Amino acid sequence: MGIQALPRAAVRQKLRTPLLALAAGVLGLTAALVPPTNADAAESTLGAAAAQSGRYFGVAIASGKLGDSTYTSIANREFNSVTAENEMKIDATEPNRGQFNFSSADRVYNWAVQNGKEVRGHTLAWHSQQPGWMQSLSGSSLRQAMIDHINGVMNHYKGKIAQWDVVNEAFADGSSGARRDSNLQRTGNDWIEVAFRTARAADPSAKLCYNDYNVENWNWAKTQAMYNMVKDFKSRGVPIDCVGFQSHFNSGSPYDSNFRTTLQNFAALGVDVAVTELDIQGASSSTYAAVVNDCLAVSRCLGVTVWGVRDSDSWRASDTPLLFNNDGSKKAAYSAVLNALNGGATTPPPTGDGGQIKGVASGRCLDVPNASTTDGTGVQLYDCHSNSNQQWAVTDSGEIRVYGNKCLDAAGTGNGASVQIYSCWGGDNQKWRLNSDGSIVGVQSGRCLDAAGSGNGARIQLYACSGGSNQRWTRT
């Protein structure tokens, strides 16, 4: 991941990170949202807490920001592993064929080791961020250039890098399960195997990883294709030691609880696994904690790396996806991660237990039609009952959840915008203020949860707040 690897799924909404507060009132909720804390935390920093289980908690570092004292203070204090964000990629390390330049890469490496951190190498063979001279090659010339590049970079860092992302992002997006059509792929289907064999010969002491995105969900074709490649490599003795899951979670590629299954299944092939480029749109505390706990649950999970220090350092800054605000202050997600690493709370506690939300005007309950779990299903009013599709829990981040992992979600910001269920991903369109007058206001839109009628099946929407009884709700 880096400068030229842009988001794989369109981000529906830009995010903010307001401090949310829920007023005690008709819904009987607590007065304020505060980050979870763990008074008995064994360690007070992320790296130290991760080290308790023999893991690392790392960060991507940019050489150009090492003069920023706030940046380096956080990075040095909190993390025990470093990945160079762009400095070890092909265009940076071999700008001209056969002429290597490690000045920026060495600056990151030297800063890391001088501060007692291990270093992950990223990345040796990739279709993106190739220098112009490499882009112009094809066939056997390109294959040899790839081999020469791997040897040149790994020889420079021989014995110094803990893990190398040998090959990056070689599978196609979508449902085909095919290899990505790239200049490297067109040199022959064995190019990945050749890259790993070359890397093993160049530095036998480094762990050799394959790294990719949108491969966290076990049910996806891309995940299965990667799994089959690793299984084949292990069966034939191709030297692969680990698999990296980038984990750029967003509204188009949300976290799914089967990520743990994915990690477990890859580990069962005899490879280590790692979360290599974590950022989460909106920095949901519950999702961050879930990812960390997934790693902790798999003995072969080496650790977690977040892709940047503060939101302002992120390649997706407008998504506010990291653990530190622009000013360097810690987010609620930071506390959730630290607690998880210290064996504390795995998710932020709910502000209220699951229960019905009843319309004052109608006497009917907020309901998911036909108990659907499909993203995009619009919610409605319906006669109240005790089934799970009417059981809503409010979290400390302002989400209103049903089934545990689906959030009440505004599909827009204007009057009449649909209100639906969608996989929780931490966006402001999934956060709500619950007011003492019984109104429920969307954080992103400032509009009220509104019943368009009073009968069974009446549509729930956003609408400008009017104080009407069709915009007031009680908890039962």
Side-chain angles (χ1 to χ4, degrees):
M1 182 47 52
I3 291 174
Q4 296 184 30
L6 297 176
R8 268 65 68 152
V11 176
R12 276 189 304 151
Q13 309 284 355
K14 289 190 176 182
L15 306 180
R16 304 187 301 272
T17 52
L19 177 64
L20 299 179
L22 301 181
V26 176
L27 298 185
L29 303 177
T30 56
L33 298 177
V34 293
T37 58
N38 183 355
D40 299 322
E43 296 291 349
S44 60
T45 65
L46 302 174
Q52 296 173 115
S53 63
R55 293 170 173 83
Y56 61 80
F57 202 93
V59 65
I61 290 292
S63 63
K65 294 182 179 178
L66 290 176
D68 180 333
S69 60
T70 301
Y71 180 91
T72 54
S73 176
I74 296 170
N76 189 29
R77 180 187 74 227
E78 294 291 342
F79 304 102
N80 59 350
S81 173
V82 162
T83 302
E85 188 169 348
N86 290 291
E87 291 78 359
M88 292 187 182
K89 292 176 181 174
I90 309 167
D91 56 353
T93 52
E94 194 178 0
N96 299 295
R97 188 169 188 178
Q99 296 179 356
F100 290 88
N101 184 339
F102 296 105
S103 57
S104 294
D106 283 350
R107 188 178 184 205
V108 174
Y109 174 83
N110 290 336
W111 182 88
V113 297
Q114 287 164 9
N115 288 286
K117 304 175 193 315
E118 72 174 28
V119 180
R120 294 191 75 257
H122 176 78
T123 180
L124 295 169
W126 189 24
H127 69 276
S128 186
Q129 287 185 246
Q130 295 178 1
W133 67 264
M134 183 176 280
Q135 295 175 39
S136 69
L137 299 179
S138 61
S140 59
S141 295
L142 177 59
R143 176 66 66 88
Q144 189 60 51
M146 178 194 77
I147 292 170
D148 293 343
H149 179 79
I150 292 171
N151 281 324
V153 175
M154 293 192 76
N155 285 336
H156 179 77
Y157 290 109
K158 188 172 184 177
K160 299 178 179 180
I161 300 292
Q163 306 163 40
W164 269 109
D165 290 332
V166 177
V167 174
N168 202 46
E169 302 177 359
F171 286 92
D173 294 321
S175 59
S176 70
R179 293 278 186 89
R180 179 189 296 275
D181 179 26
S182 70
N183 60 350
L184 290 168
Q185 178 64 27
R186 291 190 291 273
T187 69
N189 203 55
D190 64 338
W191 74 274
I192 300 177
E193 177 177 343
V194 170
F196 274 90
R197 293 192 184 279
T198 302
R200 174 66 86 228
D203 187 354
S205 67
K207 285 184 181 291
L208 307 181
C209 304
Y210 176 80
N211 191 55
D212 216 325
Y213 65 87
N214 281 1
V215 288
E216 294 78 20
N217 189 316
W218 178 245
N219 298 321
W220 287 351
K222 190 173 181 180
T223 309
Q224 292 300 310
M226 184 174 75
Y227 177 85
N228 289 332
M229 181 191 73
V230 175
K231 184 177 181 180
D232 171 62
F233 280 10
K234 292 299 291 185
S235 71
R236 295 191 294 110
V238 178
I240 184 170
D241 303 310
C242 44
V243 177
F245 298 82
Q246 293 183 14
S247 304
H248 298 289
F249 294 118
N250 58 54
S251 59
S253 180
Y255 168 82
D256 190 285
S257 59
N258 71 21
F259 184 34
R260 185 175 301 188
T261 299
T262 303
L263 296 176
Q264 291 168 333
N265 287 343
F266 275 86
L269 293 177
V271 293
D272 294 329
V273 293
V275 179
T276 54
E277 303 182 20
L278 179 63
D279 49 32
I280 299 172
Q281 192 174 14
S284 164
S285 295
S286 58
T287 305
Y288 259 109
V291 172
V292 170
N293 278 291
D294 289 341
C295 178
L296 292 173
V298 179
S299 61
R300 295 199 71 150
C301 185
L302 300 170
V304 175
T305 297
V306 289
W307 207 246
V309 178
R310 305 159 297 190
D311 285 338
S312 55
D313 306 312
S314 171
W315 66 299
R316 306 168 82 173
S318 64
D319 295 349
T320 61
L322 297 176
L323 298 175
F324 295 89
N325 293 305
N326 294 349
D327 64 359
S329 59
K330 299 171 183 177
K331 296 184 182 180
Y334 171 94
S335 298
V337 168
L338 185 63
N339 284 347
L341 292 169
N342 278 320
T346 59
T347 59
T351 304
D353 294 333
Q356 296 162 328
I357 296 177
K358 181 183 289 187
V360 170
S362 65
R364 291 186 165 89
C365 283
L366 199 64
D367 177 281
V368 183
N370 302 313
S372 173
T373 59
T374 302
D375 284 347
T377 300
V379 295
Q380 63 179 9
L381 287 180
Y382 209 82
D383 290 337
C384 298
H385 53 68
S386 60
N387 294 342
S388 61
N389 62 322
Q390 290 189 359
Q391 300 299 309
W392 304 88
V394 182
T395 73
D396 75 326
S397 62
E399 297 166 334
I400 301 178
R401 293 191 172 215
V402 66
Y403 311 131
N405 64 350
K406 299 292 182 179
C407 278
L408 195 66
D409 176 290
T413 58
N415 283 338
S418 176
V419 176
Q420 59 190 11
I421 61 166
Y422 205 90
S423 296
C424 299
W425 58 277
D428 283 353
N429 66 315
Q430 293 187 347
K431 294 178 182 176
W432 307 85
R433 287 191 294 267
L434 288 81
N435 300 314
S436 59
D437 64 357
S439 63
I440 301 177
V441 178
V443 166
Q444 185 179 65
S445 65
R447 300 184 189 277
C448 278
L449 196 69
D450 177 286
S454 59
N456 280 337
R459 177 174 176 267
I460 305 300
Q461 61 184 4
L462 288 181
Y463 214 84
C465 299
S466 65
S469 59
N470 67 318
Q471 293 184 352
R472 291 189 288 115
W473 308 84
T474 63
R475 192 177 189 88
T476 61

